[in-house]
Amino acid sequence: HDCSRTCGSILSPDLLSWSVCTDDVSGSSAEYPDRVSMMEGRLQSQEDEITLLKSSLADALRRLRLHDQLIPLLKQQIIAGGWPTIRPQLYSFNIIVSRKLSSSSALDSPRHPATRYCARPVERDCGHGMGWLACLSRSCLTLFFSLSHWLTGQSIKMFIRGRPITMYVPSNIQNYEDLRMEPPVEKLELDWVYGYRGRDCRANLYLLSSGEAVYFIACVVVLYHINNRTQRHYRKHTDCVRCLTIHPDKVRVASGQTAGVDKDGKPLQPYVHIWDSSTLITLQQIGLGTFERGVGSVAFSFADAGAFLCVIDDSNEHMLSVWDCAKGTKHTEVKSTNEAVFAVEFNPSDSTNIITCGKSHIYFWTLSAGSLTKKQGIFGKYKKPKFIQCFVFSLTGDVLTGDSEGNILTWGKSPGDVKTLGKGAKETFQIMRQTRAHDGSVFTLCMLQGGALLSGGGKDRKIIRWSADLAPERECEVKDVCVRAYVNGEEVLVGTTRNAILRGTFSDGFVAIVQGHVDEMWGLATHPSQDVFLTCGHDRQVCVWNTEEHKLDWCTTLEEYGLCADFCPNGAVVSVGLSTGRWLVLDLQTKEVISDYTDGNEQLSVMRYSPDGSFLAVGSHDNFIYVYNVTESGRRYSRYGKCNGHSSFITHLDWSKDGKYIMSNSGDYEILYWDVAGGCKLLRNRYESKDREWASYTCVLGFHVMGVWLEGSDGTDINALCRSHSERLVAVADDFCKVHLFQYPCPKPKAPNHSYEGHGSHVTNVRFTHCDSHLLSMGGKDTCILQWEVKRAGTGDGGDRLHSASFTSSPEP
Ligand SMILES: *[C@@H]1O[C@H](CO)[C@@H](O)[C@H](O)[C@H]1NC(C)=O
Ligand SMILES: *[C@@H]1O[C@H](CO)[C@@H](O)[C@H](O)[C@H]1NC(C)=O
Ligand SMILES: *[C@@H]1O[C@H](CO)[C@@H](O)[C@H](O)[C@H]1NC(C)=O
């Protein structure tokens, strides 16, 4: 029971001692009325425990095999001089002690407390990190010497999915127990947001009176000053923003979000924020507890200067609700339809009149006496389109809709058909005119001054200007399908389904002012000496960006999609690993593919050049790391060797500073070390690598980053991490939309950290820029790249002081 005193008493010749015994279970039948079923229960629980003990034993045996070459050495040592090399604290760490279990078990009686035994990870360890704790009967003690630890000194175990991962404590840390972690002095500040959500959202691009375009991606609403090329960000949303509208004053903004889930999968409540775009202050939070799943559309009323806000949520019934903007109270609410709803607007001249459209419908709502009544638009002799995508009010009060048939329909009110329907017949909304506009869907309509109209098409990728009487006047082809147009004088802003925002005029054409990926992204690499980074993703695009100018430098589309990338240390070329085992080397100047290789036929997960650029390591899902000689400044590659030993796919790898060794992680949470210079050999004794210095640190499993893992983590909770070049910080990309900043090294669990929100999906990668001035993070499916400025609080001295303080060790007793 007392770890410090029971150790060292057993050392059998094979160095592994294992003994299990239980209490005498005999007792009077009076004490145990249902002895058989109890024994059955007991047997079952013993079987469970034995399974656990077996797995511990298997783990020990695995290590035994790994270290069998060391056993003779230890024997010699013991024969020669007893225990000279083994420090007392090591004994205790490696012992499984018996401990009484809770006495709630039916088997426990006053006479036989805790007759069950079990093995499980310990919460309270015996001095050094974690181990396995076997709970045995009171009268029995099992000592279990884990050989690797014995032979190798201090180690720490962490558990992922019940799997123990052993990490060796570097020798510059004398006293792991006394290490104290501080939060990093540095903080992150959101500097720039790359991307625009146009792929699956509409009506989400407006121009404010300040000259800023307002749009959103992930959880961030971006205010982008087009001429000044500056950004501000509204960041009060806790999950992806889905819709946006601006107030008639062109200052206030309403934005609605999806519900999302918290870390434990519990659904959160969606809401709409009304906020002031000049101060970024939230004025109202609307609908918390009312909306379900998310908010699909929002609209301000115009006739009364924006007194009301209309909201449609994402519940099955698509609840339509009207809110008092000043008070934030609900005016009225009604089920709209079970079909998808795409847009809602108030009639600009009459706030009691609201229109919604969506899958095969357009509804005309009337608000009277606090309740909403609906009238369906009647298609009559016209073909009912599958989707009505958008609508606008013309200056004459008609409603114009754009639909999936490529038509613009003009709707008007007809008096009740008294002839056929009798005296009580009510007025109806009917199609007055159908105008052929585009091939494929009409995705957006936008009113211009003087009654002219702008339409954006699907398949034909055209923007057309129409006169007030719907005669085509001008047209212009843009690269993408546009989903939103906004006109400011002559100038048109267009949001596209390829997540780009274009700006231009009919006479001069259009240029992209915002660009982004359109599918899940994983590959991220920063340039070794310039303010440049590269991204790649499932959209098959490889994009090179400039962090200083905040823009896309260039982009190329590959045949397969890229998952990982690394710049050659000379900065002239970059290699990109693809989904098929193929990898390409691109010249950054000419943008051309200069080398094209294939290793295996599974996806590649990591590319990493050695620090001097003489080797390239390619980590694959086929469990191998392929190593190449690199010559001619990164232009020639020849296979040097293959690291063969992982039993699962490679997830991360790093080179040692001397460029001779590799540390790698795999899908089954293994940490392995490789002697590359010596022929890509697996280093069987992992302890020997404990003091090795790493040129980069991106492995998510390792002593130096152990503290970034939360207790009870699933092994996939952290997708990527990255040490800063200063070796003071480690940034972490987690599976819960967050970016964390820790002090490096971070070897203690529950390490303090700063955490940052903004992404709307699992964060797939993080990288510091070459001089650590910025951190880049990318959220896989949210197609958003966030650029964070690394802010040092106060002077750098404070940081140094804390940094070294964390690693001060007390003298060994
Ligand atoms: C844009 O730049 C002008 C001139 O430098 C400045 O007066 C204005 O405040 C800037 N606007 C924003 C929103 O940054
Ligand atoms: C690859 O690099 C190793 C180690 O530097 C060297 O011994 C070997 O000759 C190189 N092979 C080729 C083909 O360049
Ligand atoms: C980060 O810090 C917070 C607050 O200090 C803490 O709750 C959390 O467990 C830490 N670790 C991670 C990975 O979030």
Side-chain angles (χ1 to χ4, degrees):
H1 293 263
D2 179 350
C3 304
S4 59
R5 293 197 301 120
T6 50
C7 48
S9 57
I10 295 181
L11 184 68
S12 66
D14 62 355
L15 293 168
L16 176 73
S17 164
W18 180 263
S19 70
V20 172
C21 65
T22 58
D23 272 38
D24 177 6
V25 291
S26 65
S28 77
S29 48
E31 251 178 287
Y32 299 110
D34 192 2
R35 200 174 164 85
V36 174
S37 74
M38 216 198 45
M39 287 302 288
E40 272 171 8
R42 181 167 188 161
L43 189 65
Q44 184 55 49
S45 86
Q46 286 188 351
E47 272 172 9
D48 292 347
E49 309 316 345
I50 285 168
T51 309
L52 281 166
L53 290 169
K54 269 187 185 163
S55 78
S56 307
L57 184 59
D59 184 42
L61 291 173
R62 198 168 61 90
R63 263 197 228 101
L64 257 174
R65 277 196 298 274
L66 273 178
H67 290 276
D68 53 15
Q69 76 266 44
L70 288 174
I71 290 174
L73 271 177
L74 184 79
K75 277 187 177 164
Q76 268 174 10
Q77 245 171 24
I78 290 165
I79 292 160
W83 310 71
T85 59
I86 302 163
R87 290 181 296 177
Q89 74 254 34
L90 302 181
Y91 309 171
S92 55
F93 169 61
N94 297 300
I95 291 164
I96 294 178
V97 285
S98 70
R99 199 178 79 165
K100 189 176 151 187
L101 257 195
S102 77
S103 50
S104 59
S105 159
L107 300 171
D108 293 340
S109 71
R111 274 188 53 210
H112 297 277
T115 41
R116 291 191 301 157
Y117 54 88
C118 70
R120 60 171 181 179
V122 254
E123 315 85 53
R124 199 189 68 85
D125 58 63
C126 307
H128 293 279
M130 296 183 266
W132 285 84
L133 182 65
C135 308
L136 297 161
S137 92
R138 198 171 29 147
S139 54
C140 194
L141 178 70
T142 291
L143 298 178
F144 172 14
F145 291 81
S146 165
L147 271 176
S148 58
H149 301 162
W150 258 72
L151 294 170
T152 55
Q154 208 178 348
S155 72
I156 311 295
K157 254 187 206 170
M158 77 181 251
F159 290 84
I160 289 186
R161 290 191 164 165
R163 218 195 136 126
I165 302 160
T166 306
M167 283 169 266
Y168 296 96
V169 181
S171 34
N172 65 342
I173 297 176
Q174 249 99 60
N175 206 328
Y176 175 78
E177 275 306 289
D178 292 346
L179 274 184
R180 289 287 165 268
M181 295 298 305
E182 303 280 347
V185 182
E186 290 83 350
K187 288 204 162 122
L188 300 181
E189 224 166 69
L190 187 59
D191 175 44
W192 201 263
V193 176
Y194 299 91
Y196 156 74
R197 185 163 178 173
R199 189 179 40 157
D200 58 352
C201 285
R202 294 152 229 250
N204 57 359
L205 174 63
Y206 295 88
L207 204 62
L208 297 167
S209 59
S210 61
E212 291 165 300
V214 56
Y215 57 88
F216 57 81
I217 183 162
C219 307
V220 186
V221 182
V222 180
L223 299 101
Y224 176 51
H225 198 289
I226 299 169
N227 291 326
N228 293 17
R229 300 187 47 180
T230 53
Q231 276 189 355
R232 295 189 297 142
H233 310 109
Y234 178 76
R235 296 178 58 203
K236 300 284 162 50
H237 283 286
T238 52
D239 210 289
C240 286
V241 183
R242 289 302 308 270
C243 57
L244 179 86
T245 192
I246 61 168
H247 193 271
D249 66 13
K250 290 198 175 183
V251 174
R252 274 175 275 176
V253 177
S255 47
Q257 67 168 76
T258 48
V261 290
D262 71 6
K263 208 163 175 161
D264 307 317
K266 214 176 83 214
L268 298 170
Q269 291 178 330
Y271 52 75
V272 172
H273 274 177
I274 300 178
W275 45 281
D276 183 321
S277 64
S278 57
T279 59
L280 302 181
I281 288 171
T282 308
L283 304 170
Q284 290 290 352
Q285 174 164 285
I286 280 176
L288 196 70
T290 302
F291 305 142
E292 267 183 52
R293 290 191 203 146
V295 179
S297 310
V298 283
F300 279 109
S301 60
F302 271 71
D304 42 24
F308 296 102
L309 183 77
C310 183
V311 182
I312 297 200
D313 79 359
D314 286 338
S315 64
N316 288 344
E317 293 87 21
H318 297 96
M319 296 303 293
L320 187 162
S321 52
V322 177
W323 300 76
D324 182 316
C325 293
K327 299 200 197 100
T329 52
K330 186 160 61 187
H331 201 62
T332 183
E333 182 180 53
V334 69
K335 289 178 185 173
S336 73
T337 171
N338 288 337
E339 303 283 17
V341 179
F342 297 149
V344 61
E345 291 294 346
F346 282 91
N347 184 327
S349 55
D350 178 4
S351 295
T352 64
N353 192 327
I354 295 169
I355 294 178
T356 59
C357 72
K359 187 170 180 217
S360 310
H361 75 266
I362 174 161
Y363 293 137
F364 298 82
W365 301 84
T366 311
L367 179 62
S368 81
S371 71
L372 282 159
T373 48
K374 95 175 156 189
K375 276 211 176 114
Q376 196 160 349
I378 294 166
F379 290 91
K381 66 177 177 169
Y382 296 96
K383 184 182 170 198
K384 196 186 222 179
K386 198 157 179 210
F387 298 105
I388 299 204
Q389 314 271 13
C390 54
F391 66 90
V392 286
F393 291 88
S394 76
L395 293 189
T396 54
D398 289 335
V399 172
L400 306 174
T401 59
D403 62 44
S404 51
E405 302 293 314
N407 294 323
I408 296 174
L409 302 175
T410 308
W411 296 79
K413 226 191 271 187
S414 310
D417 182 355
V418 186
K419 254 192 212 148
T420 45
L421 296 174
K423 247 193 171 167
K426 296 205 174 115
E427 58 179 20
T428 54
F429 292 92
Q430 297 195 353
I431 297 165
M432 321 288 282
R433 183 174 169 192
Q434 174 175 294
T435 311
R436 184 82 200 137
H438 289 276
D439 276 346
S441 284
V442 178
F443 271 115
T444 187
L445 290 173
C446 180
M447 281 311 293
L448 306 179
Q449 265 159 9
L453 180 74
L454 207 70
S455 69
K459 262 192 221 137
D460 63 8
R461 299 171 179 211
K462 275 183 192 156
I463 302 175
I464 302 174
R465 195 171 78 194
W466 307 81
S467 66
D469 56 0
L470 289 182
E473 285 182 344
R474 300 216 45 174
E475 67 173 58
C476 181
E477 212 170 307
V478 291
K479 263 192 266 156
D480 304 321
V481 181
C482 79
V483 287
R484 172 69 198 168
Y486 197 91
V487 178
N488 183 34
E490 269 292 287
E491 192 173 271
V492 182
L493 281 184
V494 176
T496 76
T497 49
R498 289 191 65 77
N499 290 353
I501 297 177
L502 315 176
R503 176 203 199 191
T505 62
F506 280 99
S507 25
D508 301 340
F510 289 83
V511 290
I513 53 166
V514 174
Q515 281 166 285
H517 279 277
V518 289
D519 206 342
E520 188 163 347
M521 320 171 285
W522 283 87
L524 172 66
T526 45
H527 194 278
S529 58
Q530 295 168 11
D531 297 325
V532 163
F533 67 98
L534 176 143
T535 56
C536 55
H538 288 199
D539 58 6
R540 298 186 290 122
Q541 289 191 102
V542 171
C543 298
V544 175
W545 310 78
N546 188 304
T547 58
E548 198 51 41
E549 290 168 27
H550 303 127
K551 69 173 186 58
L552 180 72
D553 272 353
W554 55 276
C555 205
T556 177
T557 304
L558 307 174
E559 288 154 43
E560 295 125 36
Y561 63 84
L563 290 152
C564 49
D566 195 32
F567 283 91
C568 182
N570 68 14
V573 303
V574 63
S575 59
V576 182
L578 309 182
S579 56
T580 52
R582 194 169 156 206
W583 53 275
L584 307 174
V585 181
L586 302 173
D587 184 310
L588 280 169
Q589 281 299 316
T590 65
K591 300 160 198 176
E592 265 161 23
V593 174
I594 49 173
S595 295
D596 184 340
Y597 298 88
T598 301
D599 282 307
N601 54 12
E602 296 195 43
Q603 72 181 60
L604 301 180
S605 40
V606 48
M607 309 291 291
R608 186 91 50 226
Y609 285 93
S610 64
D612 66 356
S614 61
F615 288 113
L616 172 69
V618 180
S620 166
H621 267 230
D622 68 7
N623 306 357
F624 298 126
I625 300 166
Y626 301 90
V627 181
Y628 281 79
N629 282 70
V630 183
T631 49
E632 295 173 24
S633 307
R635 303 181 152 265
R636 250 184 75 92
Y637 295 78
S638 51
R639 173 77 81 78
Y640 167 77
K642 181 162 107 173
C643 302
N644 175 359
H646 270 295
S647 43
S648 182
F649 56 92
I650 313 299
T651 56
H652 304 87
L653 68 83
D654 293 291
W655 286 90
S656 61
K657 283 188 178 164
D658 60 12
K660 292 182 174 156
Y661 301 91
I662 285 176
M663 156 172 69
S664 57
N665 289 168
S666 61
D668 57 355
Y669 321 123
E670 232 171 358
I671 309 167
L672 295 183
Y673 300 93
W674 308 89
D675 178 359
V676 175
C680 296
K681 281 205 298 278
L682 175 66
L683 291 170
R684 295 208 168 265
N685 188 352
R686 299 200 292 120
Y687 169 75
E688 283 168 3
S689 293
K690 72 183 177 6
D691 291 329
R692 200 148 275 139
E693 294 200 48
W694 303 100
S696 60
Y697 215 113
T698 61
C699 280
V700 297
L701 297 172
F703 174 80
H704 298 84
V705 295
M706 199 183 92
V708 309
W709 290 87
L710 283 176
E711 238 171 298
S713 279
D714 173 315
T716 60
D717 286 355
I718 292 177
N719 293 316
L721 59 76
C722 178
R723 184 183 68 188
S724 64
H725 298 92
S726 67
E727 304 192 13
R728 289 157 49 122
L729 296 170
V730 55
V732 173
D734 82 10
D735 228 21
F736 312 101
C737 314
K738 291 210 179 69
V739 173
H740 302 268
L741 196 66
F742 291 86
Q743 202 181 60
Y744 178 91
C746 184
K748 295 277 277 205
K750 300 197 178 108
N753 65 94
H754 305 307
S755 81
Y756 299 93
E757 294 178 357
H759 283 295
S761 154
H762 49 292
V763 187
T764 52
N765 220 332
V766 279
R767 281 292 175 273
F768 285 95
T769 52
H770 66 101
C771 55
D772 289 340
S773 63
H774 293 87
L775 177 79
L776 293 151
S777 64
M778 56 195 220
K781 288 201 167 123
D782 70 10
T783 66
C784 173
I785 303 161
L786 299 181
Q787 178 172 315
W788 307 85
E789 187 174 351
V790 181
K791 288 258 184 188
R792 289 174 182 90
T795 62
D797 297 337
D800 287 326
R801 184 177 49 74
L802 280 173
H803 179 63
S804 51
S806 73
F807 255 42
T808 330
S809 51
S810 47
E812 211 173 342

